[in-house]
Amino acid sequence: AVVSTQSTGCPPLKNEHALRTMNFLHSAAHQAPTISTATNMNAGLVRLKEKHTARLTPDLKRSMCSKCKVVLVPGNTARVRVRSKGGNQFRVVSCVVCGLSKRYMVGEQQLKIEQCPFFHNT
């Protein structure tokens, strides 16, 4: 599922057509023949998300660059590294197109934080 409304506290989408369109754009972007086509589809997905005040699932947010909206494919458009800092391990995903880097916690530390009652996915 592309849009998460149950666990985030957002009201469910009233427009079923928008939900179907966002799901289509997500699947089509991953199968697009060129990077520019996939980028345009992801940009359209983000525009629909903002228009209908929907939240994307964390997996979907991590599969596209938040700066240039390109689909992140490890080894093709993304460089993925595992780094350690202060006893914690992080997965560092860098976009090859624009250079943006994101860090995501890996392992048991991530599970402990997600189980905390004050943890909110935004």
Side-chain angles (χ1 to χ4, degrees):
V2 172
V3 180
S4 173
T5 56
Q6 302 294 332
S7 62
T8 57
C10 292
L13 275 179
K14 294 179 181 177
N15 193 343
E16 291 285 328
H17 181 68
L19 179 62
R20 276 189 252 120
T21 304
M22 285 191 277
N23 281 322
F24 171 76
L25 286 173
H26 170 63
S27 61
H30 283 281
Q31 299 172 358
T34 63
I35 293 176
S36 63
T37 305
T39 303
N40 288 335
M41 289 180 185
N42 278 338
L45 173 69
V46 171
R47 279 193 305 271
L48 272 175
K49 172 195 78 85
E50 291 169 355
K51 180 178 180 181
H52 293 284
T53 61
R55 290 188 184 187
L56 301 177
T57 60
D59 293 336
L60 177 66
K61 284 193 268 187
R62 292 176 182 184
S63 71
M64 85 170 93
C65 177
S66 60
K67 184 176 179 182
C68 66
K69 306 297 185 251
V70 72
V71 176
L72 295 176
V73 178
N76 189 7
T77 57
R79 186 178 68 227
V80 180
R81 302 282 187 256
V82 177
R83 300 283 184 233
S84 296
K85 184 175 182 180
N88 295 329
Q89 287 189 333
F90 295 93
R91 183 170 49 104
V92 181
V93 180
S94 302
C95 179
V96 174
V97 178
C98 68
L100 182 74
S101 293
K102 292 281 190 161
R103 295 183 338 151
Y104 303 107
M105 200 174 283
V106 176
E108 294 180 16
Q109 295 88 7
Q110 179 184 12
L111 294 175
K112 289 177 185 175
I113 291 173
E114 287 178 353
Q115 291 171 356
C116 177
F118 301 108
F119 177 75
H120 297 290
N121 260 348
T122 54

